[in-house]
Amino acid sequence: MSAGVARPVPAQPVPAAPVLSVENLSLAVGPLALVEDVSFDIRPGEMLGLVGESGCGKSVTALSILRLLPEPPIRIASGRILFGERDLAALPLDRMQPLRGREIGMIFQEPMTSLNPVFTIGRQIAEPLRLHLGLGRSAALVRAAELLDLVGLPEPRAALDRYPHQLSGGQRQRAMIAIAIACEPKLLIADEPTTALDVTVQAQVLELISRLRREMGLACLLITHDLGVVAQICERALVMYAGRIVEEAPVLELFRQPRHRYTRALVDTIPARNRPGARLPAIPGQVPAPGARGEGCPFEPRCAAPVSRCGPERPPLAGPWPHRAACWNPAA
Amino acid sequence: MTAPLLKVEDLSKSYVDPKGRRVEALRGVSFEIAPGEVLGVVGESGCGKTTLGRTIMRLMEPDTGRIWLCGEDFAAKSGAALKAARREVQMVFQDPFGSLNPRHSVGAIIAEPLIVHGRLGARERVAELLDLVGLPPDAGARYPHEFSGGQRQRIAIARALALSPKLIIADEPVSALDVSIQSQILNLIADLRERLGLAMLFISHDLSVIRHVSDRIAVMKDGLIVEIGPAARVFEAPEHPYARSLLASMPRLPDA
């Protein structure tokens, strides 16, 4: 997307206050740190990508914002999750329920397991409308049909009476999105929303999320392992590795001038950025497990250009916003 | 032109799904693979690409059509002749967690095809194969759960190579792997092609992976090959409308 530098919201004298501010968040299981010292903001109308490989901590970070982690065994060890005036990290769990689905919408990877198989699509979209907005049964169904129309499901009125198994994967994900945006939340958290979908359907669903974000001014946190998806619809992205944010940058810069050696290696190893058939610049070794991340930079054992302080000393996320990286020997 | 290693003629396969509906997974598919060539098969879920691989392996029997392997009618073989011909074609699956028996040591898993086919010197051959796929010599005594996804895929590849096949059918071999591990396995596959002169039928939904590994590409839709040709030609100038829309939906990356 060549318009990646353009801001979705017209420039204002003072930048809008963030919808969500995560400050120095750490998550742990017993003595093991899963996520350490994660900080980021999302502003109204912004699409922020959170990208990383399996086990890097991106999904637990997203679930912690919704307080959907199993607590215990996982606990918020430190940090704040500021959503408006409230610190979600300190909120009693029963106070989260009115927020989820009302002010924070969510979409998960597998629409088949996230939708309830025994209720119609109409009933599942109507549920948050009745629960959070107090709409009556018929008013909720009318609104549900409008929402299905908005997300581009054909014959929305007929779709109300269908069950999840009667829809295709792409239609189910559209229905999930309709549920997520039903109460016009301020923040949408989408965890691998297109990973289970075919590539032509993925393109349509990404376009839908982009459109809703523009039209509703929705702030969106998009979690994905796929740099292609980030390139397609995000303006800014965070790269996580071994439980930490290692780089934060506008998406175009992330691809053109990645600073962290991990981001550099990740971008370079994508087949589409190499000559067909050529040897790929592979990243040796594998992601360290929690508890085996070492004292210094967790990427040091796999890094192409480590320096002496990488092993013993952990690099901080440094550099002028919006492009920051946690690397002692940056690639750019 | 050299004689094809694999020639598939008018292959059809239909079955009844759990809901009682008839699914025409393959509707008359024909193509050839030359020795040492990689044919990439790309398509979306339900297009028939997995059925194609399984039917050629004769894990499923085709309804109609012929399969010629090394000039012989593979689809007509049975018993000892089928077993002998199967040495020439082996398979690698997507899921490195589901395709290895968790109760067998890695050495036993890799040796199994050698034992089934009565080959001598299995122990030496296992050591050779471990080295070939980049696993440490002591890996043979360990069990699948001790290995990561990428290493398990190396084990599955070593097993597929045990009988020195001429053709490997790989069904989404890197789709379950993280990007950094995926490129390690793609490099391994390229090395093995070069060293062993392997031909491959490489099945994937991932367009950029298919472009990277294939000499020729077949685009499948609804049980048919809608377009087949040299990889660069299919990617740069697809002719079939479906191939065009499939390629257009590929996420575009910013230039370097």
Side-chain angles (χ1 to χ4, degrees):
Chain A
M1 199 167 78
S2 56
V5 267
R7 292 271 139 204
V9 174
Q12 293 164 2
V14 183
V19 175
L20 179 78
S21 284
V22 173
E23 294 179 353
N24 310 100
L25 180 71
S26 296
L27 305 170
V29 175
L32 278 187
L34 294 180
V35 164
E36 290 174 83
D37 202 22
V38 160
S39 301
F40 61 89
D41 286 348
I42 310 180
R43 280 161 215 289
E46 185 178 39
M47 178 81 79
L48 178 68
L50 177 56
V51 65
E53 299 183 88
S54 33
C56 72
K58 57 191 190 301
S59 283
V60 283
T61 301
L63 289 174
S64 74
I65 296 167
L66 296 158
R67 296 287 299 277
L68 283 176
L69 288 173
E71 306 175 33
I74 301 181
R75 67 195 154 80
I76 298 176
S78 61
R80 302 200 296 171
I81 302 168
L82 297 175
F83 181 70
E85 306 284 283
R86 286 152 296 196
D87 177 8
L88 304 185
L91 221 56
L93 278 179
D94 61 347
R95 299 261 311 277
M96 280 303 294
Q97 190 55 39
L99 290 177
R100 287 186 209 124
R102 172 71 189 88
E103 295 187 53
I104 307 177
M106 49 220 162
I107 317 170
F108 299 105
Q109 172 171 348
E110 191 20 86
M112 200 56 210
T113 50
S114 313
L115 290 168
N116 191 328
V118 302
F119 293 128
T120 61
I121 296 296
R123 176 160 173 179
Q124 296 186 61
I125 302 176
E127 186 184 280
L129 295 166
R130 300 185 69 188
L131 181 74
H132 293 303
L133 303 185
L135 262 58
R137 190 176 171 280
S138 51
L141 283 174
V142 169
R143 179 71 187 133
E146 288 168 12
L147 285 160
L148 286 176
D149 188 39
L150 184 69
V151 298
L153 215 67
E155 300 175 58
R157 289 215 142 264
L160 290 178
D161 295 326
R162 299 221 174 88
Y163 288 87
H165 75 269
Q166 296 173 299
L167 304 182
S168 71
Q171 289 172 337
R172 282 199 288 266
Q173 200 58 300
R174 286 179 194 270
M176 271 298 297
I177 294 171
I179 297 172
I181 61 163
C183 300
E184 301 186 5
K186 294 193 189 83
L187 175 66
L188 180 67
I189 295 182
D191 189 358
E192 304 273 8
T194 60
T195 304
L197 304 177
D198 277 324
V199 58
T200 51
V201 182
Q202 163 169 297
Q204 294 161 9
V205 169
L206 290 178
E207 174 49 37
L208 170 64
I209 296 174
S210 273
R211 177 166 67 83
L212 293 171
R213 185 209 31 156
R214 282 194 309 271
E215 288 173 3
M216 302 173 64
L218 205 58
C220 184
L221 178 65
L222 180 90
I223 293 106
T224 180
H225 71 286
D226 189 337
L227 281 165
V229 168
V230 168
Q232 192 103 332
I233 64 167
C234 297
E235 284 121 0
R236 203 156 64 83
L238 312 166
V239 180
M240 277 188 90
Y241 185 79
R244 295 185 152 249
I245 291 176
V246 296
E247 186 153 4
E248 169 182 7
V251 164
L252 275 180
E253 275 192 47
L254 200 68
F255 279 90
R256 291 192 177 147
Q257 288 160 332
R259 289 201 192 134
H260 198 283
R261 293 284 169 176
Y262 172 63
T263 319
R264 173 87 262 172
L266 211 52
V267 167
D268 287 346
T269 198
I270 302 173
R273 285 172 73 95
N274 286 273
R275 194 168 46 78
R279 236 192 125 68
L280 297 169
I283 307 174
Q286 47 195 305
V287 178
R293 289 166 176 174
E295 291 290 301
C297 173
F299 188 60
E300 188 264 349
R302 308 176 73 191
C303 185
V307 294
S308 58
R309 68 200 297 201
C310 297
E313 216 179 321
R314 180 154 282 170
L317 199 59
W321 196 87
H323 194 164
R324 304 192 299 160
C327 188
W328 289 127
N329 185 23
Chain B
M1 194 186 149
T2 46
L5 175 64
L6 176 76
K7 183 172 178 176
V8 171
E9 286 179 316
D10 204 23
L11 203 63
S12 292
K13 173 74 187 171
S14 65
Y15 50 86
V16 177
D17 76 4
K19 287 171 192 148
R21 289 177 303 208
R22 186 151 205 88
V23 178
E24 299 215 34
L26 298 175
R27 301 190 292 155
V29 168
S30 304
F31 63 87
E32 294 178 2
I33 297 181
E37 183 185 48
V38 175
L39 177 69
V41 177
V42 69
E44 300 188 286
S45 39
C47 73
K49 58 191 191 297
T50 290
T51 304
L52 177 64
R54 292 182 179 212
T55 311
I56 294 169
M57 278 301 289
R58 294 199 50 201
L59 297 174
M60 291 171 151
E61 291 300 323
D63 297 339
T64 58
R66 324 228 357 215
I67 303 165
W68 301 87
L69 185 67
C70 309
E72 290 179 32
D73 187 349
F74 186 58
K77 285 184 194 289
S78 62
L82 175 62
K83 183 176 163 185
R86 275 202 162 134
R87 288 177 200 155
E88 306 298 347
V89 44
Q90 295 285 315
M91 194 150 184
V92 176
F93 297 94
Q94 169 172 358
D95 180 6
F97 295 85
S99 59
L100 303 176
N101 189 331
R103 301 170 60 128
H104 288 182
S105 72
V106 167
I109 289 169
I110 298 174
E112 195 172 11
L114 299 166
I115 292 161
V116 168
H117 287 270
R119 295 284 172 88
L120 298 173
R123 183 188 293 266
E124 293 73 23
R125 181 72 179 137
V126 168
E128 207 176 285
L129 288 161
L130 287 173
D131 182 53
L132 191 66
V133 300
L135 287 169
D138 67 350
R142 288 148 66 191
Y143 287 83
H145 75 267
E146 299 173 59
F147 295 88
S148 67
Q151 289 171 321
R152 284 183 220 215
Q153 210 53 309
R154 289 178 194 269
I155 297 166
I157 291 171
R159 175 178 59 186
L161 294 175
L163 295 165
S164 310
K166 294 194 175 74
L167 175 69
I168 296 273
I169 295 177
D171 191 356
E172 305 273 9
V174 298
S175 303
L177 307 175
D178 273 319
V179 193
S180 74
I181 306 302
Q182 175 175 299
S183 44
Q184 294 173 7
I185 299 298
L186 290 176
N187 281 346
L188 172 66
I189 288 173
D191 288 348
L192 294 172
R193 264 193 86 187
E194 200 170 300
R195 289 168 70 173
L196 308 174
L198 281 174
M200 290 184 92
L201 182 73
F202 193 107
I203 299 164
S204 179
H205 72 286
D206 188 324
L207 294 157
S208 63
V209 167
I210 282 285
R211 173 71 182 99
H212 191 76
V213 300
S214 309
D215 299 315
R216 282 191 308 138
I217 291 174
V219 180
M220 283 190 76
K221 164 94 175 143
D222 298 334
L224 296 170
I225 291 180
V226 296
E227 181 151 356
I228 185 165
R233 208 277 295 144
V234 171
F235 252 69
E236 276 139 40
E239 283 162 14
H240 191 277
Y242 174 72
R244 260 185 248 147
S245 79
L246 184 69
L247 289 163
S249 57
M250 205 175 149
R252 297 269 170 266
L253 297 174
D255 298 329

